[in-house]
Amino acid sequence: MVAGLDEKLEPIYRDVLRRNPGETEFHQAVHEVLETLGPVLVKYPEFTEHKIIQRICEPERQIIFRVPWQDDQGHTHINRAFRVEFNSALGPYKGGMRFHPSVYLGIIKFLGFEQIFKNALTGLPIGGGKGGSDFDPKGRSDAEIMRFCQSLMTELYRHIGQYTDVPAGDIGVGQREVGYLFGQYKRITNRYESGVFTGKGLDWGGSRARTEATGYGTVFFLNEMLKVRGESLEGKTCVVSGSGNVAIYAIEKIHALGGKVIACSDSNGVIVDKNGLDLDLVKQIKEIERRRISAYAEERPDATYLPDGVIWTVPCELALPCATQNELNGKDAQTLVEQGCIAVAEGANMPTTPEGIRVFQEAGIAYGPGKAANAGGVATSALEMQQNASRDSWTSEYTEARLQEIMINIHRNCHETAEEFGQPGDYVAGANITGFLKVGRAMVALGLI
């Protein structure tokens, strides 16, 4: 017996394990979706007949290639890069590129699998994919990063396009890297195909509010979860893990809506400021100076720096994991619940372990999974594609209003679907089933392809 799975789904999951050995993050992502789909197969037997689940668990295409490049000293390095084009039933593959030493096929497949459902939830015509490399941009010069990006795109360009596969940024891939990647694509193809890459700079085809979108969207979703419980962000104490793009703009929107963020983190430790974080200082340290978060305590003596600390030990009412996968385990979740946390919204992809999710659900707190709560980033990427296609540029206010509308709709759909399938308040089931139904119906309609 596989814990938590309907008997019809057990053999499917066992087959995923057999066909994808060693890819633990991918196994986790698949199991988390499958354990919510039993009632769907009862209500819609055609998905079983067409083997939609088996097909959705197998990527349409997996591309792996080497990336040779030279550092500033003339030494040669070889990295490995991936692009997993998972599902295009709803539109061109859409998903970010991640540059981090931990990247291997299992992580890219987990991210791509999650992206299928996340993109479906936005209601926009985009399929799911993901890519990346085990290249580490930390400590590398701009010239080294440019050479790496150009080498990677020299292979990747043949597999992407605005109607085929549209990458974007992710961990380790910001506007600088997107610029080098897009520039090489333009050079090789001799086409100014703006819609092939999202997360671009405003001067060359980017969208206003895209930088803020994932963090803002997570807070919009959190706010909707609180509303249905008769609560609000006003006056609430929050902690946000990470201090990258998602975390920074989640903090910004929490402050704008009346909450107070007292802690954030990076891979070295945690900064705690009981008076509320000085966001301008965090931005200066992380976005401009590219220093470690410990520098915050040097500028603010009242703040406390916890080297190798765990942010979830800081008492709070709201928690937003915005760093990386599996950063919040069962013990951490128990600590949060015991200290009075009432809601968790995921700004990162799969940051909570299955044990942690179980703790939150059993405690009855509001828990927003990443595929719903952090869908604002890819939603605004799709809005960037719309602007590129129409040669248009929208205002920040209009784009943010569209983002908020999309996040409200995602919350409503997840909330209503959970109720429809007898699991009220379960946003995990609501998000998985809503996304699966949309993709599954499209796959049935398109035939056996």
Side-chain angles (χ1 to χ4, degrees):
M1 290 285 289
V2 179
L5 289 190
D6 181 280
E7 60 181 15
K8 295 189 205 69
L9 294 165
E10 273 194 44
I12 297 173
Y13 182 65
R14 291 188 192 281
D15 204 41
V16 168
L17 297 181
R18 179 184 63 80
R19 292 165 66 87
N20 305 276
E23 297 172 3
T24 54
E25 296 86 358
F26 178 52
H27 301 161
Q28 180 184 337
V30 171
H31 187 279
E32 188 263 321
V33 170
L34 295 192
E35 65 182 351
T36 62
L37 295 184
V40 180
L41 299 186
V42 173
K43 191 169 183 178
Y44 300 103
E46 62 268 29
F47 292 134
T48 301
E49 178 189 343
H50 289 277
K51 295 203 169 180
I52 294 301
I53 295 177
Q54 291 92 325
R55 287 160 60 190
I56 219 167
C57 290
E58 185 66 27
E60 292 175 12
R61 189 175 296 109
Q62 301 179 65
I63 301 146
I64 306 175
F65 55 97
R66 73 179 180 210
V67 185
W69 60 281
Q70 278 191 330
D71 64 23
D72 290 340
Q73 286 70 48
H75 300 139
T76 297
H77 300 262
I78 309 293
N79 285 98
R80 181 178 291 175
F82 308 86
R83 190 70 186 171
V84 174
E85 297 174 334
F86 226 114
N87 192 289
S88 59
L90 297 179
Y93 310 105
K94 184 83 193 78
M97 294 288 291
R98 174 175 294 193
F99 292 172
H100 192 272
S102 66
V103 166
Y104 79 110
L105 187 59
I107 281 184
I108 299 301
K109 282 168 70 173
F110 122 64
L111 292 166
F113 185 75
E114 290 272 296
Q115 202 80 44
I116 300 169
F117 305 98
K118 181 191 301 186
N119 293 2
L121 285 171
T122 68
L124 299 167
I126 43 178
K130 203 76 180 186
S133 172
D134 56 5
F135 171 74
D136 188 357
K138 270 186 194 168
R140 292 294 177 186
S141 69
D142 287 354
E144 288 173 326
I145 289 171
M146 181 182 71
R147 287 194 290 273
F148 172 80
C149 289
Q150 289 178 340
S151 181
L152 184 148
M153 186 53 72
T154 301
E155 172 59 31
L156 185 63
Y157 88 93
R158 68 188 80 241
H159 304 291
I160 63 175
Q162 63 181 340
Y163 300 114
T164 306
D165 184 355
V166 182
D170 192 67
I171 292 172
V173 180
Q175 198 173 109
R176 172 183 57 178
E177 290 77 13
V178 169
Y180 294 146
L181 290 164
F182 177 68
Q184 184 73 348
Y185 180 85
K186 184 179 79 71
R187 178 190 194 186
I188 293 171
T189 62
N190 194 32
R191 292 197 302 270
Y192 205 105
E193 191 181 322
S194 298
V196 73
F197 232 103
T198 58
K200 301 182 295 295
L202 288 178
D203 292 332
W204 40 282
S207 172
R208 288 175 177 81
R210 174 60 190 92
T211 305
E212 301 90 341
T214 307
Y216 279 17
T218 301
V219 178
F220 289 145
F221 191 92
L222 171 63
N223 204 34
E224 293 303 306
M225 289 199 301
L226 291 171
K227 278 183 190 175
V228 297
R229 293 174 173 236
E231 299 272 4
S232 76
L233 274 159
E234 186 70 38
K236 296 288 192 302
T237 302
C238 316
V239 301
V240 178
S241 71
S243 50
N245 181 64
V246 179
I248 283 172
Y249 291 101
I251 295 168
E252 184 168 279
K253 186 53 69 175
I254 289 168
H255 286 175
L257 294 178
K260 181 169 77 169
V261 180
I262 60 169
C264 69
S265 62
D266 63 15
S267 55
N268 287 37
V270 177
I271 198 78
V272 182
D273 189 339
K274 297 291 187 183
N275 300 316
L277 288 175
D278 180 338
L279 185 58
D280 288 337
L281 178 56
V282 174
K283 285 183 178 182
Q284 177 70 28
I285 291 166
K286 301 304 288 188
E287 293 186 329
I288 298 171
E289 298 172 4
R290 296 182 187 266
R291 296 164 67 197
R292 309 311 292 159
I293 200 64
S294 56
Y296 185 99
E298 297 167 14
E299 302 290 333
R300 291 287 183 277
D302 290 343
T304 304
Y305 177 63
L306 309 172
D308 300 318
V310 177
I311 194 169
W312 315 120
T313 62
V314 179
C316 64
E317 294 164 279
L318 308 174
L320 286 82
C322 294
T324 192
Q325 68 270 7
N326 292 327
E327 60 171 297
L328 200 167
N329 60 32
K331 181 183 174 185
D332 299 328
Q334 195 64 50
T335 300
L336 284 169
V337 170
E338 288 171 357
Q339 294 185 152
C341 182
I342 63 169
V344 175
E346 295 184 338
N349 293 303
M350 206 170 74
T352 309
T353 66
E355 294 74 27
I357 295 171
R358 200 169 302 118
V359 169
F360 292 145
Q361 291 181 325
E362 288 174 359
I365 75 170
Y367 167 67
K371 64 170 63 71
N374 73 34
V378 74
T380 308
S381 277
L383 299 182
E384 182 175 330
M385 292 164 67
Q386 283 187 30
Q387 291 168 79
N388 294 156
S390 61
R391 299 292 191 268
D392 200 357
S393 181
W394 303 342
T395 65
S396 296
E397 294 76 16
Y398 178 76
T399 310
E400 187 178 329
R402 288 286 309 272
L403 167 64
Q404 186 168 12
E405 178 187 6
I406 289 167
M407 296 310 298
I408 290 171
N409 287 339
I410 291 173
H411 174 271
R412 184 178 62 249
N413 290 337
C414 293
H415 193 259
E416 290 176 355
T417 300
E419 288 200 348
E420 178 190 343
F421 283 86
Q423 300 174 72
D426 186 341
Y427 291 100
V428 175
N432 289 341
I433 294 171
T434 302
F436 175 78
L437 287 174
K438 192 170 177 66
V439 178
R441 286 168 180 153
M443 291 174 72
V444 171
L446 296 178
L448 188 55
I449 57 171

